[in-house]
Amino acid sequence: MEDWLTFYFCGMSKPFRFKQFSVADDRCTHKVGTDAVLLGSWVQVSENDRRFLDIGTGSGVIALMLAQRSHTDARIEAIEIGRIETEQAEQNVRQSPWPEKVVVHNIALQDFKSEGKFDLIVSNPPYFERSLLPPDPERIRARHTHQLSFDELLEGVVRLMLPRGRVAVVLPFERMTDFSQRALAQKLFPNRITHFRTRKHKAVERVLAEFKFEKTSTKESELILYSDGEAWSEEYRNLTRDFYLKS
């Protein structure tokens, strides 16, 4: 389900409008979708967090959500391997209220170097591994682990994250077990896990997970998108109320 719950107007040229900023994604292979908004809303931003890294920023939506939520002195580094996506993310940042807080880099994680380490790292990573590759190379890069495997992602996290830092990801339910096992091999332990499903009777479709170097008890929860018909649940509305215009 590569386009799972992608917004119905993602193919239009008009930007997607949030309460405090807008994101254009017409040049991006991977459009603004529920996965990104979920992660950007769900991740916990501390008053003491000053340095953030968004891996695979795409249109820059998560980086801008972090900019909205973080301290005025915070700095968000956003990396993206696609040149066109980088250009669009840079445009979105320039037109946002926080152009001084976000820096977009056109670079692969494997090549990215930083003067300091990060309090919080977030990623909506590629996750298709054994499925048939699409003919479009841009779609391969955007959603398949062809150029950024789970191991490469986690090695980058270990290299760039502060000892007290956290890394948060969103993945399909069926891919999270593999990711978690590889995280444990890197001495990264689950701190928070939320299972997300569209409706109460549906199977879990996405898992949001936060990992730390410190081993602690894992806080687990569940989030349901729709409570009745097409009405958002109170929990989902509360989670996204700082961003969605309709919340």
Side-chain angles (χ1 to χ4, degrees):
M1 300 177 65
E2 187 170 353
D3 295 322
W4 175 81
L5 280 181
T6 299
F7 296 113
Y8 71 94
F9 43 78
C10 68
M12 297 182 183
S13 59
K14 292 184 179 180
F16 185 89
R17 300 194 181 280
F18 294 91
K19 286 183 177 178
Q20 296 190 34
F21 63 95
S22 297
V23 174
D25 64 359
D26 56 291
R27 300 177 64 196
C28 294
T29 303
H30 189 55
K31 308 301 182 181
V32 174
T34 303
D35 283 7
V37 178
L38 263 177
L39 181 59
S41 303
W42 177 86
V43 67
Q44 293 180 337
V45 176
S46 165
E47 175 68 20
N48 296 323
D49 293 335
R50 290 294 186 274
R51 287 181 55 80
F52 301 81
L53 177 64
D54 179 15
I55 299 173
T57 195
S59 63
V61 59
I62 294 178
L64 289 171
M65 294 175 78
L66 292 174
Q68 177 180 321
R69 301 179 61 197
S70 57
H71 194 277
T72 54
D73 294 334
R75 182 180 177 89
I76 297 95
E77 306 271 352
I79 62 176
E80 170 58 50
I81 194 172
R83 179 185 58 81
I84 294 175
E85 284 85 349
T86 300
E87 292 174 356
Q88 185 141 65
E90 289 174 334
Q91 178 186 14
N92 288 329
V93 168
R94 284 194 301 270
Q95 295 175 349
S96 79
W98 315 281
E100 74 289 347
K101 290 179 71 172
V102 183
V103 179
V104 184
H105 305 275
N106 183 201
I107 193 170
L109 173 62
Q110 297 91 326
D111 300 323
F112 177 69
K113 295 179 175 59
S114 173
E115 294 180 358
K117 296 193 175 185
F118 295 91
D119 298 289
L120 176 63
I121 298 175
V122 297
S123 184
N124 177 12
Y127 50 77
F128 287 116
E129 189 171 46
R130 288 178 289 272
S131 58
L132 291 175
L133 296 180
D136 184 352
E138 293 302 310
R139 292 183 70 81
I140 293 175
R141 175 185 49 73
R143 287 336 262 150
H144 290 71
T145 58
H146 184 66
Q147 291 180 303
L148 183 65
S149 68
F150 285 171
D151 286 335
E152 288 170 326
L153 172 59
L154 289 162
E155 287 165 4
V157 167
V158 170
R159 174 170 59 87
L160 295 165
M161 193 169 74
L162 285 166
R164 67 176 187 277
R166 299 100 62 214
V167 56
V169 299
V170 57
L171 284 168
F173 174 79
E174 62 271 15
R175 299 296 283 127
M176 184 56 78
T177 298
D178 181 32
F179 185 88
S180 298
Q181 290 173 346
R182 294 174 187 275
L184 287 173
Q186 296 283 354
K187 301 294 190 280
L188 287 166
F189 302 97
N191 178 54
R192 296 171 60 220
I193 294 177
T194 296
H195 293 91
F196 178 80
R197 63 183 84 214
T198 53
R199 302 181 188 278
K200 187 174 182 179
H201 64 278
K202 295 284 189 179
V204 173
E205 297 180 50
R206 291 293 187 269
V207 181
L208 298 136
E210 179 186 274
F211 297 84
K212 301 169 62 176
F213 288 121
E214 179 186 4
K215 189 174 184 180
T216 60
S217 59
T218 305
K219 300 175 184 177
E220 296 195 42
S221 61
E222 182 173 274
L223 179 65
I224 299 172
L225 177 59
Y226 297 114
S227 59
D228 182 29
E230 298 302 314
W232 287 350
S233 69
E234 183 178 356
E235 292 78 13
Y236 185 77
R237 191 178 295 275
N238 287 337
L239 181 71
T240 59
R241 71 168 58 253
D242 290 339
F243 302 103
Y244 281 145
L245 292 172
K246 62 179 286 188
S247 291

